[in-house]
Amino acid sequence: MDRFNRDSHIVFFTGAGISAESGISTFRDPDGHWSKYDPMKLASPKGFRDDPELVLSWYASRRKTIIEAEPHAGHYTITQFQKLFPNSLVITQNVDGLHARAGNDPVWELHGNIHREKCNTCGQEGNSQAVEDGIHHCRCGGMLRPDVVWFGESLPFGLIEKSLATAGECDILFSIGTSTQIYPAAHLPFQALEHGAYTIEINIDKTPFSAHADLIVEDTAGNALPKLFEEFYAALS
Ligand code: OAD
């Protein structure tokens, strides 16, 4: 740890596992969303075309869970890290907004944000004009949908390129609570590794990145992050 200083650049790359301790379901764990539901029905453009009510009601129920959830020690510890290392940022696959609620800043959301809506036809944000059969419509007539990335869709314009460049230049990358299976986001820890960053994986299970990480912490994000923060803090003092 002592080869780093306060100018070190740190990337916190996170996935659904960091929100698990806040009571928000992951996707690929045994009780995760995709063990119960077909992602193509709930999180794809075709699924939305086929049954918009089903998709919107699933997102409404997820949004309710998320609004009632609170960030935990892991999220708050990232805020402490960001104070100690001003050149650090969160790049998340999560759409729940918990990083921002814990004061993490900046946060780049690769897969969008469940609290925003956009038009499925023209892509304009929000802009609800009329409600028909419980579905909000845009001025252009298109249906409004959550502003999240679905299977088969592109990530927000330019964001993955910017994220890969940032991971390629960082000194330390934490990969936290992600199964590291969904691309292009899953390139990020490998990109950091290839460019010589020190990589730390925090996960309760093994992932395709585990064999490559410099340090593996097999623990929950809420346990591991405060302990690691103490170690970094001590090494800098
Ligand atoms: P996954 O559900 O694929 O993986 C969650 C990971 O978190 C697993 O590796 C778990 O072992 C780990 N985990 C669970 N609880 C944990 C805890 N308390 N602390 C630390 N780790 C824990 O979620 P993601 O990797 O985020 O995409 O999935 C990536 C994308 O696939 C999501 O953004 C979503 C999904 O389909 C879209 O919706 C576009």
Side-chain angles (χ1 to χ4, degrees):
M1 306 273 172
D2 47 6
R3 60 185 168 128
F4 308 113
N5 59 52
R6 292 193 62 155
D7 293 327
S8 296
H9 289 239
I10 306 187
V11 171
F12 295 90
F13 173 56
T14 66
I18 196 170
S19 295
E21 288 156 276
S22 293
I24 298 171
S25 203
T26 64
F27 296 93
R28 290 175 189 78
D29 287 308
D31 58 347
H33 291 302
W34 302 153
S35 70
K36 297 179 226 156
Y37 310 113
D38 178 353
M40 290 308 142
K41 288 201 170 131
L42 294 173
S44 78
K46 180 173 184 314
F48 187 60
R49 273 197 307 276
D50 290 349
D51 195 343
E53 284 91 353
L54 175 77
V55 173
L56 293 175
S57 72
W58 184 65
Y59 275 96
S61 118
R62 281 183 63 197
R63 205 177 294 117
K64 183 171 181 293
T65 305
I66 287 167
I67 288 167
E68 288 166 359
E70 295 291 339
H72 60 77
H75 295 103
Y76 289 111
T77 301
I78 293 178
T79 305
Q80 287 182 281
F81 265 110
Q82 288 189 295
K83 284 190 182 136
L84 196 59
F85 296 93
N87 299 316
S88 61
L89 85 163
V90 175
I91 305 180
T92 189
Q93 298 162 90
N94 299 345
V95 298
D96 54 36
L98 287 188
H99 284 297
R101 279 174 59 194
N104 301 173
D105 181 28
V107 179
W108 294 352
E109 295 174 319
L110 293 176
H111 292 164
N113 188 303
I114 200 169
H115 303 292
R116 282 196 311 265
E117 287 187 312
K118 70 176 180 186
C119 174
N120 196 44
T121 303
C122 73
Q124 283 280 316
E125 193 179 314
N127 196 18
S128 175
Q129 292 295 301
V131 184
E132 239 174 70
D133 299 330
I135 294 180
H136 292 251
H137 287 260
C138 170
R139 191 175 289 133
C140 80
M143 288 184 280
L144 294 190
R145 52 164 274 191
D147 189 358
V148 298
V149 175
W150 283 334
F151 287 100
E153 293 185 323
S154 303
L155 271 54
F157 183 73
L159 191 53
I160 191 66
E161 293 78 3
K162 198 166 83 163
S163 301
L164 284 167
T166 302
E169 287 168 0
C170 75
D171 302 298
I172 309 169
L173 179 137
F174 287 78
S175 184
I176 310 168
T178 175
S179 60
T180 328
Q181 287 184 32
I182 296 302
Y183 285 84
H187 281 302
L188 293 184
F190 292 99
Q191 172 84 350
L193 184 83
E194 267 170 38
H195 288 80
Y198 184 77
T199 57
I200 302 172
E201 182 178 73
I202 301 174
N203 201 304
I204 54 171
D205 216 340
K206 292 269 183 292
T207 78
F209 187 63
S210 306
H212 308 275
D214 293 296
L215 176 67
I216 302 174
V217 182
E218 211 163 325
D219 200 349
T220 66
N223 281 336
L225 278 162
K227 285 184 199 155
L228 284 167
F229 179 77
E230 289 308 321
E231 286 181 36
F232 273 80
Y233 190 81
L236 287 184
S237 313

